[in-house]
Amino acid sequence: MSFLKIQDIHHTYFSNQTAATALADISLDIEKGEFVSFLGPSGCGKTTLLSIIAGLFPPTSGKILLENKPLKANSDLSIGYMLQQDYLFPWKTIEENILLGLKLIKKDEGLERIKTLKLLSDVGLGDTGKLYPRELSGGMRQRAALARTLAVDPKILLLDEPFSALDYQTKLKLEDLVFETLKSFGKTAVLVTHDIGEAIAMSDRIFLFSANPGSVYKTFKVPDELRELTPFHARNHPQYPMLFQTIWKELESLEY
Amino acid sequence: MWHLFIQKLGDGTLLSHSGVTLFETVLGFIIGTLLGTILASLLWWSPRLSKTLDPYLVILNAMPKVALGPIIIVAFGPGFPSIISMGAIISIIITTIVVYTAFREVDPNYLKVLQTFGATKTQAFREAILPSSFPTIISTLKVNVGLSWVGVIVGEFLVSAKGLGYLIIYGFQVFNFTLVMLALMIIAVFATIMYQLVELLERKLIKD
C-alpha cells in the first residue's frame, strides 16, 4: 500500500458566471521516503493540487489517503508546507519563528525545544536564533523556513517552488541542503516547480502536468545514477542532459 | 495670560477644570480605541456580521458625530458619562473601519503557514492578524488623540458645567479672551503629551 494515495481528484473553481476546471482525473501514488516533483507550465493546476494535499481546501471530488487514512485538514501535523517565499513573521525572532508550529500545539518547551534549536544548527543557522528575519539574507531566511517546517516533524513535505525567489548560487546550495536534510530524516516530499533541471536533480519521479484542464500527462522515472547524487552533482552527470532533453521535448509538444 | 495662569492655579480652579477634562479625554480615547478595535475583530471573525453592518458603518462614518451630542446628553444625562461618550463615539467608527481594513489586508500566506500548522482561528488572530496590524492600530491611536479632544471639548460646550471646554465657552460669553487662550494653551500642552505617550508606546510595540 502506498504512503500517499491521490484518487480521482477533480477540482473546479467557481465564480458567479464561470466555472474553470483546474484539475481533472488525477490519480497517483507516492511511496514513503520518495521525492517527487510536479512539473508543468503555469496554469496547469500543480499548486492547486499541492494546496489540496495540504488540506487548505477540499477538492470538488476525489480523495487523498495518507497511510490509508483519509487526510483530514488540521487533525494532526502530518503535512509540512513551504512556500515560494519564506513568510517568516517579521515581528518574531528566528527562534520564535521556528518554534511557532510547536507553540500552536503547546509543545514548545523542554525536549521539543532543544530538538528544534538543534534543527536550526542543522540548517547552518545555529547562532541566529535571537535575530529578526530582516537581519538575514534571502537564502538564510528560506533555510529558517525549512527548519520551521521540519520542527513539527511532518510526515510529508510539500514544497511550492521554494527556490524560485533565490539567486542561482543560493538556489543550488539550498537544493543540496533540502535534499540532504530530507534524505537524512527519511521524509517524503512533493516539489512543485517549473524548472526542469531542479526537478531532475532533486526527485525520484517527475509528474509532468498539462494544462486545460490540469492533468498528469506523463511520468518520468529519474535513473538511479542520478537519484543517488546530490542535486549539484546530478546536474553534472552525463545522464542529466539526456533526461532534460526528453522532458524538454514533451513540454514543447504540450504548448502546441 | 501668565498672570491669569498663576491666579487660577492659586485658587485651584484651573487644576480641577484641567483634571476633569484630561480624565474625560483619556477615558474617551481609551474606550473609543478599544471598542473600535474589538468591533473590528468581531467583523473579521464573522464575515456575515461584517456584511450586515457594512452599510451602517458607512453612514455612521459619514455622519458628523458631534451632531449626536444633544441626543447623547438626553440619554446619559448632563455629566461625565455623556462627555466621555462623546470623546469615545467620535473615534469608534473610524477606528473600526481602519483597523478592520488592516486586518483584511494581512498577507494571506501568513495565514496559510498557520493553517498548515493546524492553527485555530483564535491562534491565527493572535499570531498573525493582530501583530501585523499593530502599525495601523498605532497610527489610529495618533489620530484618535486629536479626535477624542474634539469630542470632549464639544461635550463640555454642551454640558457646560466643568472642564476646559466650559472655561472656553464661559470666557467667550463674558468676553474674557485671556481665559479662552489660557484654556487653549493648556489643551495644546496636554494633547502634545498624549501624542508623545502614544509614540512611546509605538517604540515599545513595534520593534522593526
Side-chain angles (χ1 to χ4, degrees), chain A residues 35-84:
Chain A
F35 194 120
V36 303
S37 290
F38 295 165
L39 184 68
S42 44
C44 69
K46 48 195 192 311
T47 299
T48 305
L49 181 58
L50 205 68
S51 306
I52 291 172
I53 299 175
L56 294 177
F57 49 82
T60 314
S61 74
K63 54 184 170 180
I64 292 177
L65 301 171
L66 183 69
E67 291 180 315
N68 234 350
K69 278 174 279 188
L71 187 102
K72 261 230 199 107
N74 308 340
S75 56
D76 55 349
L77 296 173
S78 42
I79 300 286
Y81 197 92
M82 239 176 118
L83 296 145
Q84 272 171 25

Coordinates of all heavy atoms in Angstrom, one line a residue, chain A residues 35-84:
Chain A
F35 N 10.9 11.2 -3.2 CA 10.9 12.7 -3.5 C 10.3 12.8 -4.9 O 10.9 12.4 -5.9 CB 12.3 13.2 -3.4 CG 12.3 14.7 -3.4 CD1 12.9 15.4 -2.3 CD2 11.8 15.5 -4.5 CE1 13.0 16.8 -2.3 CE2 11.9 16.9 -4.4 CZ 12.4 17.5 -3.4
V36 N 9.1 13.4 -5.0 CA 8.5 13.5 -6.4 C 8.3 15.0 -6.7 O 8.3 15.8 -5.8 CB 7.2 12.8 -6.5 CG1 7.2 11.3 -6.2 CG2 6.1 13.5 -5.7
S37 N 8.3 15.3 -8.0 CA 8.1 16.6 -8.5 C 6.9 16.7 -9.4 O 6.6 15.8 -10.1 CB 9.3 17.1 -9.3 OG 10.4 17.3 -8.5
F38 N 6.2 17.8 -9.2 CA 5.1 18.2 -10.2 C 5.7 19.3 -11.1 O 6.0 20.4 -10.6 CB 3.9 18.7 -9.5 CG 3.2 17.7 -8.6 CD1 2.2 18.2 -7.6 CD2 3.4 16.4 -8.7 CE1 1.6 17.3 -6.8 CE2 2.8 15.5 -7.8 CZ 1.8 15.9 -6.9
L39 N 5.8 18.9 -12.4 CA 6.4 19.9 -13.3 C 5.3 20.2 -14.3 O 4.5 19.4 -14.7 CB 7.6 19.2 -13.9 CG 8.5 19.9 -14.9 CD1 9.3 21.0 -14.2 CD2 9.5 19.0 -15.6
G40 N 5.4 21.4 -14.8 CA 4.4 21.8 -15.8 C 4.4 23.3 -16.1 O 4.9 24.0 -15.3
P41 N 3.7 23.6 -17.2 CA 3.6 25.1 -17.5 C 2.7 25.8 -16.5 O 2.0 25.1 -15.7 CB 2.9 25.1 -18.9 CG 2.2 23.8 -18.9 CD 3.0 22.8 -18.1
S42 N 2.8 27.1 -16.4 CA 1.9 27.8 -15.4 C 0.5 27.6 -15.8 O 0.1 27.5 -17.0 CB 2.3 29.2 -15.3 OG 2.5 29.8 -16.6
G43 N -0.4 27.5 -14.8 CA -1.8 27.3 -15.0 C -2.2 25.9 -15.2 O -3.3 25.6 -15.6
C44 N -1.3 24.9 -14.9 CA -1.7 23.5 -15.1 C -2.2 22.9 -13.8 O -2.5 21.8 -13.7 CB -0.5 22.7 -15.6 SG 0.8 22.5 -14.4
G45 N -2.4 23.8 -12.8 CA -3.0 23.3 -11.5 C -2.1 22.6 -10.6 O -2.6 22.0 -9.6
K46 N -0.8 22.7 -10.8 CA 0.1 21.9 -9.8 C 0.0 22.5 -8.4 O 0.0 21.8 -7.4 CB 1.5 21.8 -10.4 CG 2.1 23.1 -10.9 CD 3.4 22.8 -11.7 CE 4.3 24.0 -12.0 NZ 3.6 25.2 -12.6
T47 N -0.1 23.8 -8.3 CA -0.1 24.4 -7.0 C -1.5 24.1 -6.4 O -1.6 23.9 -5.1 CB 0.1 25.9 -7.1 OG1 1.4 26.1 -7.6 CG2 0.0 26.6 -5.7
T48 N -2.5 24.1 -7.2 CA -3.9 23.8 -6.7 C -3.8 22.4 -6.0 O -4.3 22.1 -4.9 CB -4.9 23.8 -7.8 OG1 -4.8 25.0 -8.5 CG2 -6.3 23.5 -7.3
L49 N -3.2 21.4 -6.8 CA -3.1 20.1 -6.2 C -2.4 20.0 -4.9 O -2.8 19.4 -4.0 CB -2.5 19.1 -7.3 CG -2.3 17.7 -6.9 CD1 -3.7 17.1 -6.6 CD2 -1.7 16.9 -8.0
L50 N -1.3 20.8 -4.9 CA -0.5 20.8 -3.6 C -1.3 21.4 -2.5 O -1.3 20.9 -1.3 CB 0.8 21.7 -3.9 CG 1.9 21.4 -2.9 CD1 2.5 20.0 -3.3 CD2 3.0 22.4 -3.0
S51 N -2.1 22.4 -2.8 CA -2.9 23.0 -1.7 C -4.0 22.0 -1.2 O -4.3 22.0 0.0 CB -3.6 24.3 -2.2 OG -2.7 25.2 -2.7
I52 N -4.5 21.2 -2.2 CA -5.5 20.2 -1.8 C -4.8 19.2 -0.9 O -5.4 18.8 0.1 CB -6.1 19.6 -3.0 CG1 -7.0 20.6 -3.7 CG2 -7.0 18.4 -2.7 CD1 -7.5 20.2 -5.1
I53 N -3.6 18.7 -1.3 CA -2.9 17.8 -0.5 C -2.6 18.3 0.9 O -2.8 17.7 1.9 CB -1.6 17.3 -1.1 CG1 -1.8 16.7 -2.5 CG2 -0.8 16.4 -0.2 CD1 -0.6 16.3 -3.2
A54 N -2.3 19.7 1.0 CA -2.1 20.3 2.2 C -3.3 20.5 3.1 O -3.2 20.8 4.2 CB -1.4 21.7 2.0
G55 N -4.5 20.3 2.5 CA -5.7 20.4 3.2 C -6.2 21.8 3.4 O -7.0 22.1 4.2
L56 N -5.7 22.7 2.5 CA -6.1 24.1 2.6 C -7.5 24.3 2.2 O -8.2 25.2 2.6 CB -5.1 25.0 1.8 CG -3.7 25.1 2.3 CD1 -2.8 25.9 1.4 CD2 -3.7 25.7 3.7
F57 N -7.9 23.5 1.2 CA -9.3 23.5 0.8 C -9.6 22.1 0.2 O -8.7 21.4 -0.3 CB -9.7 24.6 -0.2 CG -8.8 24.7 -1.4 CD1 -8.9 23.9 -2.5 CD2 -7.7 25.7 -1.4 CE1 -8.0 24.0 -3.6 CE2 -6.9 25.8 -2.4 CZ -7.0 25.0 -3.5
P58 N -10.9 21.7 0.3 CA -11.2 20.3 -0.2 C -11.4 20.3 -1.7 O -11.8 21.3 -2.3 CB -12.6 20.0 0.5 CG -13.2 21.4 0.7 CD -12.0 22.3 0.9
P59 N -11.0 19.2 -2.4 CA -11.3 19.1 -3.8 C -12.7 19.0 -4.1 O -13.5 18.7 -3.3 CB -10.5 17.8 -4.2 CG -10.6 17.0 -3.0 CD -10.5 18.0 -1.8
T60 N -13.1 19.3 -5.4 CA -14.5 19.2 -5.8 C -15.0 17.7 -5.7 O -16.1 17.4 -5.2 CB -14.7 19.7 -7.2 OG1 -14.1 21.0 -7.3 CG2 -16.2 19.9 -7.5
S61 N -14.1 16.8 -6.1 CA -14.4 15.4 -5.9 C -13.1 14.6 -5.8 O -12.0 15.2 -6.2 CB -15.3 14.8 -7.0 OG -14.5 14.7 -8.1
G62 N -13.1 13.4 -5.3 CA -11.9 12.6 -5.2 C -11.5 12.6 -3.7 O -12.0 13.4 -2.9
K63 N -10.5 11.8 -3.4 CA -10.0 11.8 -2.1 C -8.5 11.5 -2.0 O -7.9 11.0 -2.9 CB -10.7 10.8 -1.2 CG -10.7 9.4 -1.7 CD -11.6 8.5 -0.8 CE -11.8 7.1 -1.4 NZ -12.6 6.3 -0.6
I64 N -7.9 11.9 -0.9 CA -6.5 11.7 -0.6 C -6.3 10.9 0.6 O -6.9 11.2 1.7 CB -5.9 13.1 -0.5 CG1 -5.9 13.8 -1.9 CG2 -4.4 13.0 0.0 CD1 -5.4 15.2 -1.9
L65 N -5.5 9.8 0.5 CA -5.3 9.0 1.6 C -3.8 9.0 2.0 O -2.9 8.9 1.2 CB -5.6 7.5 1.3 CG -7.1 7.2 0.9 CD1 -7.2 5.8 0.4 CD2 -8.0 7.5 2.0
L66 N -3.6 9.3 3.3 CA -2.2 9.3 3.8 C -2.1 8.1 4.7 O -2.9 8.0 5.7 CB -1.9 10.6 4.6 CG -0.5 10.7 5.1 CD1 0.5 10.9 4.0 CD2 -0.4 11.9 6.0
E67 N -1.2 7.1 4.4 CA -1.1 5.9 5.2 C -2.5 5.2 5.3 O -2.9 4.8 6.4 CB -0.5 6.1 6.6 CG 0.9 6.5 6.5 CD 1.5 6.7 7.9 OE1 0.9 7.4 8.7 OE2 2.6 6.2 8.1
N68 N -3.2 5.3 4.2 CA -4.5 4.6 4.1 C -5.6 5.2 4.9 O -6.7 4.7 5.0 CB -4.4 3.1 4.6 CG -4.9 2.2 3.5 OD1 -5.5 2.6 2.5 ND2 -4.7 0.9 3.7
K69 N -5.4 6.4 5.5 CA -6.4 7.1 6.2 C -6.8 8.4 5.5 O -5.9 9.0 4.9 CB -6.0 7.4 7.6 CG -6.2 6.2 8.5 CD -5.7 6.5 9.9 CE -4.2 6.3 9.9 NZ -3.5 6.3 11.2
P70 N -8.0 8.7 5.4 CA -8.4 10.0 4.7 C -7.7 11.2 5.4 O -7.5 11.2 6.6 CB -9.9 10.1 4.9 CG -10.3 9.1 5.9 CD -9.2 8.1 6.0
L71 N -7.2 12.0 4.6 CA -6.4 13.1 5.1 C -7.4 14.2 5.6 O -8.0 14.8 4.8 CB -5.5 13.7 3.9 CG -4.5 14.8 4.3 CD1 -3.2 14.2 4.5 CD2 -4.6 15.8 3.3
K72 N -7.4 14.4 6.8 CA -8.2 15.5 7.4 C -7.4 16.7 7.7 O -6.4 16.6 8.4 CB -8.9 15.0 8.7 CG -10.3 14.5 8.5 CD -11.2 15.2 9.5 CE -12.5 14.5 9.8 NZ -12.5 13.8 11.0
A73 N -7.8 17.8 7.2 CA -7.0 19.1 7.4 C -7.1 19.3 8.9 O -8.0 19.1 9.6 CB -7.7 20.2 6.7
N74 N -5.9 19.8 9.4 CA -5.8 20.3 10.8 C -6.0 19.2 11.9 O -6.2 19.6 13.0 CB -6.9 21.4 11.1 CG -6.8 22.5 10.0 OD1 -5.8 22.6 9.3 ND2 -7.8 23.3 9.9
S75 N -6.1 18.0 11.5 CA -6.2 17.0 12.6 C -4.9 16.8 13.3 O -4.8 17.2 14.5 CB -6.7 15.6 12.0 OG -5.8 15.2 11.0
D76 N -3.9 16.3 12.6 CA -2.6 16.3 13.3 C -1.6 16.9 12.3 O -1.9 17.1 11.1 CB -2.1 14.9 13.7 CG -2.2 13.9 12.5 OD1 -2.8 14.3 11.4 OD2 -1.7 12.8 12.6
L77 N -0.4 17.2 12.7 CA 0.5 17.9 11.9 C 1.3 16.9 11.0 O 2.5 16.7 11.1 CB 1.5 18.7 12.7 CG 0.8 19.8 13.5 CD1 1.7 20.4 14.5 CD2 0.2 20.8 12.6
S78 N 0.6 16.3 10.0 CA 1.2 15.4 9.2 C 1.8 16.0 7.9 O 2.5 15.4 7.2 CB 0.3 14.2 8.8 OG -1.0 14.8 8.5
I79 N 1.5 17.3 7.7 CA 1.8 18.0 6.5 C 2.7 19.2 6.8 O 2.4 20.0 7.7 CB 0.6 18.5 5.8 CG1 -0.4 17.4 5.4 CG2 0.9 19.3 4.5 CD1 0.1 16.5 4.3
G80 N 3.8 19.3 6.1 CA 4.7 20.5 6.2 C 4.6 21.2 4.9 O 4.7 20.6 3.8
Y81 N 4.4 22.5 4.9 CA 4.2 23.3 3.7 C 5.2 24.4 3.6 O 5.3 25.2 4.5 CB 2.8 23.8 3.7 CG 2.3 24.2 2.3 CD1 1.5 23.4 1.6 CD2 2.4 25.5 1.9 CE1 1.0 23.8 0.3 CE2 1.9 26.0 0.7 CZ 1.2 25.1 -0.1 OH 0.7 25.4 -1.3
M82 N 6.0 24.4 2.5 CA 7.0 25.5 2.3 C 6.6 26.3 1.1 O 6.3 25.8 0.0 CB 8.3 24.9 2.1 CG 9.4 25.4 3.1 SD 10.9 24.5 2.8 CE 11.9 25.9 2.4
L83 N 6.5 27.6 1.2 CA 6.0 28.5 0.1 C 7.2 29.1 -0.6 O 8.3 29.0 -0.3 CB 5.2 29.6 0.7 CG 3.9 29.1 1.4 CD1 3.6 30.0 2.6 CD2 2.8 29.1 0.5
Q84 N 6.8 29.8 -1.7 CA 7.8 30.5 -2.6 C 8.7 31.4 -1.8 O 9.8 31.5 -2.1 CB 7.0 31.2 -3.7 CG 6.8 30.4 -4.9 CD 5.9 31.1 -5.9 OE1 5.8 32.3 -5.9 NE2 5.2 30.3 -6.7

